[in-house]
Amino acid sequence: NAGVTQTPKFQVLKTGQSMTLQCAQDMNHEYMSWYRQDPGMGLRLIHYSVGAGITDQGEVPNGYNVSRSTTEDFPLRLLSAAPSQTSVYFCASRPAGGAGGPRDTQYFGPGTRLTVL
Amino acid sequence: LAKTTQPISMDSYEGQEVNITCSHNNIATNDYITWYQQFPSQGPRFIIQGYKTKVTNEVASLFIPADRKSSTLSLPRVSLSDTAVYYCLVGDKLNTGFQKLVFGTGTRLLVSP
């Protein structure tokens, strides 16, 4: 299994440009999520999905859109890039959980480093 | 919303045991405690998870007292490659059933020769 893959690894945008960060997993996980990590900080949840066709907002959703048309893919779209969106973006996946426990373990991708000028 | 508090940084030497304590005073009854490790330029990696008492795996031990308001990650005989940021997380289940992981700033562990 490749696990969670993300493309691109690096991206530079100009203010106002739009782009899509790609995320794919081959573990047949129901849950997928996007986090951003600013320098010296922990990860913050942007959007998440509990299955194909179902998405919801996390802590910092403004300026981002997501969709989940398949179990495998969960792209993150930046609508109009701003310098405040300069960050490292991580995609994660995990199996659907019940009351908690080992199935809550998330598997993270390698990240996309985005710079907005 | 359950939050965690950890030391910002710790220093150690190769071969020593390192104990990182995390405070989670508002942990909910159904919440598990999970620790992740993150190296520079990589995504976080699961280390260990527990609910109460002690859990041990091939890389670490996790000690959780009866009141579950804190936990301690124990790394035996650390090496230079254990230099990383360690995050203590408590799950926060949303109405959709999704377990939102709340990341704090983590503990930056530096292991020296």
Side-chain angles (χ1 to χ4, degrees):
Chain A
N1 286 351
V4 179
T5 58
Q6 293 183 237
T7 55
K9 284 186 167 49
F10 301 93
Q11 183 70 49
V12 179
L13 293 176
K14 294 181 179 178
T15 297
Q17 287 184 316
S18 62
M19 79 158 294
T20 299
L21 307 185
Q22 301 292 342
C23 174
Q25 52 93 8
D26 60 0
M27 296 173 283
N28 203 32
H29 287 169
E30 292 89 344
Y31 290 6
M32 295 187 73
S33 51
W34 277 100
Y35 293 83
R36 61 176 287 175
Q37 185 174 34
D38 299 324
M41 305 292 289
L43 283 73
R44 291 184 293 170
L45 181 65
I46 305 172
H47 285 286
Y48 67 95
S49 170
V50 297
I54 307 170
T55 64
D56 208 341
Q57 297 180 350
E59 300 173 76
V60 288
N62 292 341
Y64 308 95
N65 270 358
V66 292
S67 60
R68 184 98 178 269
S69 57
T70 67
T71 299
E72 294 78 19
D73 300 299
F74 191 43
L76 177 72
R77 280 183 290 277
L78 278 72
L79 308 173
S80 177
S84 61
Q85 293 179 305
T86 293
S87 189
V88 180
Y89 291 83
F90 291 101
C91 178
S93 76
R94 59 167 274 253
R103 287 191 292 175
D104 290 341
T105 303
Q106 295 213 31
Y107 297 83
F108 285 85
T112 293
R113 188 173 297 272
L114 175 68
T115 301
V116 182
L117 303 175
Chain B
L1 179 64
K3 290 188 176 180
T4 60
T5 304
Q6 309 172 230
I8 293 175
S9 64
M10 295 182 69
D11 295 321
S12 183
Y13 294 96
E14 282 189 291
Q16 289 189 334
E17 178 184 74
V18 171
N19 295 309
I20 306 174
T21 297
C22 177
S23 170
H24 29 78
N25 290 321
N26 296 323
I27 189 169
T29 302
N30 291 334
D31 285 341
Y32 277 67
I33 300 150
T34 311
W35 286 79
Y36 282 81
Q37 174 191 56
Q38 186 178 25
F39 297 113
S41 302
Q42 294 186 26
R45 185 173 70 105
F46 172 85
I47 301 177
I48 196 167
Q49 185 180 69
Y51 184 79
K52 61 180 179 181
T53 63
K54 177 184 175 182
V55 179
T56 298
N57 62 22
E58 63 276 7
V59 298
S61 294
L62 179 60
F63 299 90
I64 305 169
D67 66 6
R68 303 199 331 120
K69 293 184 183 299
S70 66
S71 59
T72 299
L73 174 72
S74 181
L75 304 172
R77 297 179 298 281
V78 294
S79 64
L80 298 177
S81 62
D82 292 317
T83 293
V85 179
Y86 293 82
Y87 293 98
C88 164
L89 290 84
V90 174
D92 181 26
K93 182 164 286 186
L94 304 178
N95 291 336
T96 53
F98 181 80
Q99 197 84 8
K100 186 178 84 169
L101 298 180
V102 179
F103 284 81
T105 53
T107 297
R108 191 172 300 272
L109 173 66
L110 175 63
V111 181
S112 301

